[in-house]
Amino acid sequence: MYQCISTSSFSILLNGEPTADFKATRGIRQGCPLSPYLFVVTIKELSLSLQNQLYNDQLAGIKLGPNSPSIHSMLFADDLIICGQANLLEVQSIHRTLYDFCHQSGLIPNLQKSSILFSRNVPDNIKNDIKGLFPVPDLQPNTIHLGHPLIFNHKDRNRAYAFIKNKFYAKFNTVKGIN
């Protein structure tokens, strides 16, 4: 879907002096300790772009409660969840922002590891239009990420978060006291 090629050139400070500009043509190896830091520095630019759209009313994001602020994205390690309203203008804005970010950073979204979640109130024709821009499968209700479910289908909060309590107690029982 995306053909993201970085056209940016870079220079680094070496002993306080900038080097000549160069173009990055390769990434870093999988598992390199520097990778998470570079990702955080880079992905912050995408987050700031989405935040600017939120402030300029080009993006509505989602609200978790009636008086809560709008959320445009959630980040953890190298995972990104982008949140928005299911309307074509907002999705086009997100698509354009993501494409611009890819073009500038050289990062490419992995659509095979991506999925989408729609509210049950979204009509099928809107879903199809959105999937035309983001051709990814629907998020399955039983999806587990980092050992935790992503979707809760319990209206009772105690039941919904029982897995956290159970995991805590399981770990708690393995910790030995210090004498």
Side-chain angles (χ1 to χ4, degrees):
M1 176 176 169
Y2 294 103
Q3 184 65 28
C4 302
I5 306 206
S6 179
T7 58
S8 302
S9 59
F10 304 91
S11 69
I12 58 172
L13 290 178
L14 186 61
N15 294 327
E17 296 294 322
T19 64
D21 284 355
F22 63 92
K23 197 174 204 176
T25 57
R26 291 196 177 167
I28 55 177
R29 295 183 142 215
Q30 180 81 22
C32 175
L34 191 56
S35 179
Y37 298 109
L38 291 175
F39 180 77
V40 168
V41 167
T42 305
I43 205 72
K44 181 180 177 188
E45 294 304 315
L46 176 61
S47 183
L48 290 172
S49 294
L50 292 169
Q51 189 67 35
N52 284 337
Q53 286 188 355
L54 202 63
Y55 286 145
N56 295 325
D57 294 326
Q58 297 169 326
L59 189 66
I62 62 167
K63 289 187 173 212
L64 300 179
N67 296 320
S68 66
S70 293
I71 297 172
H72 56 73
S73 61
M74 293 179 270
L75 304 161
F76 180 78
D78 64 348
D79 295 324
L80 168 67
I81 298 173
I82 298 177
C83 310
Q85 302 293 314
N87 69 59
L88 209 46
L89 284 175
E90 183 148 342
V91 173
Q92 287 170 335
S93 182
I94 291 170
H95 184 269
R96 192 172 35 259
T97 301
L98 190 56
Y99 179 81
D100 290 345
F101 171 74
C102 287
H103 185 72
Q104 292 172 358
S105 70
L107 295 175
I108 301 170
N110 187 340
L111 298 179
Q112 280 87 27
K113 290 184 176 181
S114 301
S115 55
I116 193 166
L117 175 65
F118 292 102
S119 164
R120 67 187 108 195
N121 301 325
V122 177
D124 287 339
N125 63 323
I126 301 290
K127 289 179 184 179
N128 291 335
D129 289 345
I130 291 170
K131 285 188 162 197
L133 287 172
F134 292 104
V136 296
D138 290 337
L139 183 68
Q140 297 303 308
N142 58 351
T143 300
I144 303 293
H145 181 66
L146 300 174
H148 301 289
L150 287 178
I151 300 174
F152 298 109
N153 55 7
H154 302 295
K155 292 184 185 213
D156 177 14
R157 287 185 183 178
N158 291 330
R159 276 186 62 204
Y161 292 103
F163 79 94
I164 293 175
K165 188 169 112 180
N166 292 339
K167 283 191 174 253
F168 174 78
Y169 284 132
K171 284 285 187 191
F172 188 69
N173 288 333
T174 63
V175 175
K176 296 182 180 178
I178 299 172
N179 294 349

